[in-house]
Amino acid sequence: MGLQLWYLPSRYEKSSSIIASQIPVSQWHGTIGDDSIADAVLDRLVSSSHKIEMEGESMISKKKLDN
């Protein structure tokens, strides 16, 4: 986690970053396992972000069903 905590602030208001996850943000604390680290990561990601949540079946699952 250390690299990410340094890397994201160094890009703040200079560059864009795209973060993709299959885990909903509401489950990050439980997944990361340490509330302090989860809070630090979320603070850096959410402060000036645009969040897009996709819904529905994934294309990979759909392709498997078609074959």
Side-chain angles (χ1 to χ4, degrees):
M1 280 295 162
L3 177 61
Q4 292 89 337
L5 295 178
W6 167 83
Y7 181 72
L8 291 172
S10 71
R11 296 175 57 85
Y12 184 70
E13 293 185 347
K14 296 178 187 170
S15 299
S16 299
S17 298
I18 296 175
I19 310 292
S21 174
Q22 294 181 355
I23 302 168
V25 173
S26 63
Q27 295 178 12
W28 282 22
H29 282 83
T31 302
I32 292 172
D34 182 319
D35 287 345
S36 297
I37 292 175
D39 285 341
V41 170
L42 287 170
D43 284 347
R44 285 162 177 79
L45 290 177
V46 177
S47 63
S48 61
S49 65
H50 297 279
K51 182 177 165 185
I52 301 170
E53 289 191 38
M54 312 252 331
E55 294 181 9
E57 189 177 12
S58 74
M59 294 302 291
I60 293 172
S61 296
K62 191 173 181 177
K63 276 186 172 183
K64 286 181 183 177
L65 292 174
D66 290 342
N67 290 330

